[in-house]
Amino acid sequence: MKTNKTLHISFLIVVAIVSQLTLSVNSQVPVPTPGKPRTVSVPAVKEIKLKNGLTVAVVERTAMPLVTVQLLVKKGSGAEPIEKAGLANLTASMLTKGTKTRSATQIAEEMEFLGGSIFSFAGWQNSAAGMSITSDKFDASMAIFADVVRNPVFAQAELDLEKSQALDGLTANLSQPGFLANYVASTYSYREHPTGGTLASINSISKADIAAFYTKNYRPQDSILILVGDISPEKATASAEKHFGSWTGIDGGTMGPIISGGGGTGEGKSLIKRFLVVDMPNSGQASVNFVKPINRIGRGGKEYYAASLLNSLLGGGYSSRLNQEIRIKRGLSYGAGSSFAWRPYRTNFGARAQTKDESAAEVAELILAEIKRLGEGVATDAELSPRKSVLTGGFGRNLETNQGIAGALGDLYAFGIPTSELNAYMNNVNSVQNADVRAFASSNLLGGDVIIVGDYAKFKDDLAKRFPNVKVEIVKASEFQSSSAQ
């Protein structure tokens, strides 16, 4: 009988042989190239306008007995007063917390009994309520959904609970470097306000504030009822007439003037406009960000597709440039990325990574180098082709679900973009060239702000060495974490 030692040695020999064979095979197999772009079946959108001004958009898909409904209201956090930041969020969340005939518990229980789910939310551009249900329960659930949208009562007890939860969540989030960096950037760089509100603004919101916001902004003339799934346009229209045909709303007027960001298109020749450190002692990690408001380029502009490909190339996934440089090559972060937050006539750009405090300055240097390279370097077709596939592949997968289609349509309606844009997406992405990406970067990404949230004492010296000629502004994290801070 072989001893344990002999068996162990034999096992190691086998592992070594298998590993060598694997390496030999892998070294001879070329990395596969991306396949040809797949076509996407873009569904037909049937649009109907009710007499009260409500737009009804229907996409019939009979493959599964499911229906997704979304009521989109074209007013969100951008329509709320700055001193009442968080008002749109609270208003949307209160929709499902009780109506004139149903309590919050009854709404939840009735939807659960029907096997469906109901939700509501608000973003900067719009607010929405939605539900998903099997098609055989559509009629019963639609009555509940319409009641939620049209007859909220904003009960004081429910509002107190929502505000308490919002304050608890915000207090906890403000101790997180990544959240605090975005929170600071919203006012410092983008000249907006936090969509979730501040501790002071949430405390100040009353039932009267919510009722007034709802009355002014939740109107059929500014809303779109989107229905996707196992439902015909005829049935959808009849249901919309039944449940929303008598819905009226006061003239809410137009949204106030759009606030311009801190920087303009192509502002300045320097990559850095300002450098802000939010000192958070014992933070554990640092959040490193480059943020830039870009004026006069909105969601409906032709530059949207060049910006989308730029974002995919820079920070849109595991194989993006930022993640390659910061995570894969140097192991300085679990992930690095970038994004655009679109508005009708402007957009907010941000690139970010979270790292240990000691490497915050190095990561800032790396982020800036990659952004600079976008405007000065050349991206080959071999690099751009996979990034286009990421965008078009994600778009195609998104259109495979009812929720994905409803969300895509909601995005278009929120910005006043024709639904025909769905058909143009694939071609518009694939037609973007390297010169378009380079021109967008060189014209729009200069003059941004660097914001680092972390334990300043741990990266102070390295920051001074890497950025010797840059003026760094220091503020305490505690300035944003008290109930009196706006």
Side-chain angles (χ1 to χ4, degrees):
M1 181 179 292
K2 292 184 179 180
T3 64
N4 288 338
K5 182 176 181 180
T6 302
L7 289 172
H8 181 66
I9 293 173
S10 299
F11 174 75
L12 292 178
I13 292 173
V14 171
V15 170
I17 293 173
V18 171
S19 299
Q20 185 61 40
L21 287 172
T22 301
L23 287 172
S24 176
V25 170
N26 286 343
S27 65
Q28 298 175 26
V29 177
V31 177
T33 58
K36 294 182 179 179
R38 296 179 61 184
T39 59
V40 174
S41 177
V42 179
V45 181
K46 176 70 173 180
E47 192 174 290
I48 307 100
K49 181 82 75 171
L50 302 189
K51 291 181 180 179
N52 62 357
L54 178 67
T55 299
V56 181
V58 188
V59 176
E60 185 175 9
R61 303 174 78 239
T62 58
M64 296 287 288
L66 299 171
V67 181
T68 292
V69 181
Q70 181 173 304
L71 190 285
L72 180 83
V73 177
K74 294 184 182 179
K75 297 292 177 66
S77 299
E80 67 194 11
I82 293 176
E83 66 274 13
K84 297 292 181 180
L87 179 57
N89 252 349
L90 277 175
T91 303
S93 67
M94 287 293 292
L95 295 179
T96 61
K97 303 305 179 183
T99 71
K100 295 175 182 177
T101 58
R102 292 177 172 91
S103 66
T105 301
Q106 287 174 318
I107 292 169
E109 288 178 346
E110 289 183 33
M111 287 301 297
E112 184 178 4
F113 178 77
L114 293 171
S117 60
I118 192 167
F119 60 88
S120 55
F121 65 89
W124 184 263
Q125 192 64 28
N126 57 267
S127 304
M131 70 170 184
S132 292
I133 196 74
T134 55
S135 51
D136 61 322
K137 301 294 193 304
F138 172 77
D139 292 329
S141 62
M142 196 65 172
I144 302 170
F145 180 74
D147 190 31
V148 163
V149 171
R150 295 184 56 182
N151 303 306
V153 292
F154 309 123
Q156 187 63 53
E158 293 290 347
L159 176 57
D160 291 341
L161 179 59
E162 286 294 311
K163 287 176 62 174
S164 176
Q165 292 174 341
L167 289 168
D168 288 345
L170 181 57
T171 299
N173 286 332
L174 286 172
S175 66
Q176 303 301 315
F179 180 91
L180 184 54
N182 291 330
Y183 183 89
V184 171
S186 64
T187 54
Y188 180 78
S189 300
Y190 301 139
R191 294 184 62 190
E192 296 180 346
H193 58 266
T195 57
T198 67
L199 296 174
S201 68
I202 293 172
N203 266 315
S204 75
I205 294 172
S206 67
K207 176 179 177 179
D209 293 326
I210 289 179
F213 185 87
Y214 173 86
T215 300
K216 181 178 181 180
N217 297 298
Y218 283 68
R219 321 182 310 133
Q221 303 95 317
D222 289 329
S223 302
I224 300 92
L225 183 65
I226 301 170
L227 302 100
V228 182
D230 186 22
I231 186 168
S232 68
E234 294 76 19
K235 183 175 181 178
T237 303
S239 182
E241 286 279 11
K242 177 182 178 180
H243 295 292
F244 291 95
S246 62
W247 184 27
T248 60
I250 66 169
D251 184 2
T254 58
M255 189 184 300
I258 297 170
I259 300 174
S260 296
T265 302
E267 179 187 351
K269 295 183 179 180
S270 173
L271 183 57
I272 302 174
K273 178 185 178 184
R274 295 176 297 180
F275 204 123
L276 175 68
V277 170
V278 180
D279 186 17
M280 182 184 284
N282 304 312
S283 60
Q285 287 198 330
S287 177
V288 184
N289 304 262
F290 176 87
V291 295
K292 173 70 167 59
I294 302 172
N295 294 328
R296 300 181 295 280
I297 295 178
R299 172 61 181 85
K302 62 181 180 180
E303 299 92 346
Y304 171 77
Y305 292 96
S308 297
L309 185 56
L310 177 150
N311 186 65
S312 181
L313 177 66
L314 177 67
Y318 186 80
S319 59
S320 65
R321 287 180 173 183
L322 285 176
N323 205 60
Q324 287 280 342
E325 289 299 319
I326 296 172
R327 174 180 176 171
I328 298 174
K329 291 184 180 180
R330 293 172 174 82
L332 295 175
S333 175
Y334 284 114
S338 61
S339 62
F340 286 92
W342 292 94
R343 310 290 187 247
Y345 304 108
R346 59 190 296 270
T347 185
N348 295 333
F349 170 75
R352 66 199 64 84
Q354 192 148 307
T355 186
K356 58 187 178 182
D357 288 304
E358 291 80 1
S359 56
E362 181 182 0
V363 168
E365 199 172 53
L366 291 170
I367 290 176
L368 292 168
E370 288 305 317
I371 292 172
K372 184 178 181 182
R373 186 158 74 101
L374 286 171
E376 296 179 351
V378 174
T380 64
D381 288 340
E383 189 178 16
L384 287 183
S385 226
R387 306 319 305 173
K388 291 179 180 179
S389 296
V390 168
L391 291 176
T392 57
F395 175 78
R397 287 191 300 275
N398 198 40
L399 296 187
E400 292 177 357
T401 67
N402 292 344
Q403 292 90 339
I405 294 174
L409 287 175
D411 180 61
L412 295 178
Y413 278 114
F415 291 97
I417 300 172
T419 58
S420 58
E421 185 81 4
L422 289 177
N423 289 289
Y425 182 89
M426 306 284 282
N427 183 62
N428 286 340
V429 168
N430 286 320
S431 65
V432 177
Q433 303 298 316
N434 170 66
D436 302 319
V437 173
R438 182 175 180 178
F440 185 95
S442 61
S443 298
N444 298 293
L445 298 188
L446 298 177
D449 297 331
V450 177
I451 300 176
I452 300 178
V453 179
D455 192 339
Y456 181 48
K458 294 183 178 180
F459 59 84
K460 179 180 179 180
D461 293 341
D462 192 36
L463 191 67
K465 290 178 183 178
R466 294 178 186 271
F467 298 92
N469 301 316
V470 176
K471 179 183 177 181
V472 179
E473 181 183 358
I474 315 294
V475 297
K476 294 290 186 182
S478 57
E479 293 185 22
F480 305 97
Q481 297 167 328
S482 67
S483 59
S484 61
Q486 281 283 2

